[in-house]
Amino acid sequence: MSYRELATRPVLAWSAVTVAGRLPVAMAPLALVFLVRERPGGYSLGAVLAAAYVIGEIVAAPVLGLRLDAEHARPQLVAGLAVGAAGFTGLGLVPGAHPVVLAALALLGGAGPAAVPGGLRALLTSLVPERAVTQAMSMESVLVFAIWAAAPALVTGLALGVDPAVPLLLMGVLLGLAVAGLWMLPPGWQQAAKGDGASTRRALLRAWPVYVLGAAGLTLLALAELILPALLEQRGIGIGWAGLLLAGFSIGSAVGAFAYGLRAGWPGTLTAQSLVLVLAVASGVALVAVLPSAAGIAVALVAAGLLQAPASLARNLALRDLLPPSALAAGYSVMYAAVGAGYAASGTLAGGLLKVVAPSTAILWGVGLTGLLILIGAVGERRLVREREAGDLARPRPQEAASEAVSTTVSGAESGAESGDADAAVRNVRR
């Protein structure tokens, strides 16, 4: 299936809602940094606020995602978007409030819409035929990274050119528009019958290497986004370049996502693809820490972005392969929480390190954390492969199983009677 076949009215409506709902998410971390940049310890406080925002996502995503009513999800998504709009609007209205108040509002802004990305992804895959799921998810990734490309430049321009509070107020308005747009979409999606809670939890836990690699990928994004303004000041480069450089990263990611969807299958397992690609992205972010010029940083960020999107797509497709259909919505929410955890961990580490080391050193420490997560994910991937191989060996081959079933049925039929009865039994097996 080609990308052109995704240009249907429902998918286009879904895209509009996604832009309005995801643009505030992309804007939030950098907007929080700019909101408090001129206060004492501004960069460190901004990193802490961004971490508080993501902690809200981490805590709320699995809780709200597991409770989504698949066939009637709209009211829950509307409520989440409305809570997020209230949090962002509050931040824009009281930018000089006590840091605890700002952190609470940031937490609210992250928690409210935390289940929306997973819900929208489940809705998207219900709008297209099964054979088009890979292209649809690639299209989603292109759209999301295009949003992330626009967000830094939009935040930087509004914060420096108008007022640091304006991006937060705009984010509240956008979430309100997403609420209105949800009425253009179906109220929910069809879902396979759910298993019991224990089997769903086992299925979710079994996919833990995919979640760990997701967390590793977002630690790199946090490093690039939260420390880049301080790194530019360290290098003597104008801070206004931060938005354009991060936009280059996201544009590279959009191109990488589009290219990944053009091919039906890439070498290696999906989790192995994600592992290799995240390692390559980590190398690119490490280069950002040591390159002295804006041009060199730009090239490294674009190259890292080109590989970041395929890494993310491979993770999501691996998760889809590992989980039963009834657990997919919950799995997307757990993945969202996991990648948020990676972002929060890296943001907190960055905020602490910026107080005692240079920004370039803080980035390298963050890359070290990513390397540790990649190692843990690799060990888990190897275990998953062994489990799959053991499961394949334990299962009888289809022809052997059919032969044995036919033989048993025919034997039973012969012991009772006529050849016509045996033929009927064989027809039953074939059916």
Side-chain angles (χ1 to χ4, degrees), residues 11 13 88 91 98 106 113 134 140 159 167 172 188 216 235 256 258-259 264 284 294 305 332 345-346 360 412 414:
V11 173
F88 290 137
L91 284 163
H98 191 278
T134 297
E140 179 201 20
R235 295 279 188 262
F258 181 82
Y332 291 144
S346 187
S360 56
E414 285 176 347

Side-chain angles (χ1 to χ4, degrees), residues 84 218 253 257 275 327 363 383 405-406 418:
L218 261 285
S253 297
L275 180 68
I363 289 177
R383 181 179 175 182
V406 170
E418 306 173 349

Side-chain angles (χ1 to χ4, degrees), residues 69-92:
D69 179 0
E71 295 186 0
H72 305 91
R74 184 189 290 152
Q76 293 162 283
L77 298 179
V78 165
L81 289 168
V83 170
F88 290 137
T89 303
L91 284 163

